[in-house]
Structure formats: structure tokens, C-alpha cells
Amino acid sequence: MKKQGLHVPVVSISRKEADAHFGFLSTLAALDIPRSSVATQELLGWSPVHPTLIADLQQSHYFSN
């Protein structure tokens, strides 16, 4: 399977394989830490005006076939 637009192979690996390949970083990647940008927006008085990352990447100006 290839990721749309990037043409990079994507594979699923077990936690054991991830630990062997990525070391301590696999533990960080496996954490479920949902966050919101609300605190940043309030702290900085900032509000996003551009498209989200996925919506932006889906535009044709990033990739050509």
C-alpha cells in the first residue's frame, strides 16, 4: 500500500518490531495523548486561518502525477 500523494510504501509492524527498529521512540509514538490547539490559541491570541494539514496536502500544488 502506498500513501496517497507521497508514493511512499506504508506497512504495519508489531510493537516488538517497532521497539527493535525505533528504540525508545516507539514508546513515545505508541502513547495516546490527544491534544487541542485551544491553549496555544488563547496564550498567543492566535487563530488559524489556513487549511488543515490534510486538506492542504490534498491540493494539487504539492504533488504531480
Side-chain angles (χ1 to χ4, degrees), residues 1-23:
M1 179 171 121
K2 292 194 179 218
K3 189 69 178 161
Q4 181 182 350
L6 298 177
H7 306 291
V8 175
V10 178
V11 296
S12 178
I13 61 175
S14 70
R15 176 63 189 264
K16 186 175 179 179
E17 292 171 306
D19 290 344
H21 185 79
F22 295 107

Side-chain angles (χ1 to χ4, degrees), residues 1 3-4 6-9 13 19-20 22 24 27 32-34 37 41 44-46 50 55 58:
M1 179 171 121
K3 189 69 178 161
Q4 181 182 350
L6 298 177
H7 306 291
V8 175
I13 61 175
D19 290 344
F22 295 107
F24 77 94
T27 302
D32 183 16
I33 309 174
S37 66
Q41 292 179 40
L44 301 176
W46 167 79
H50 298 287
Q58 290 174 336

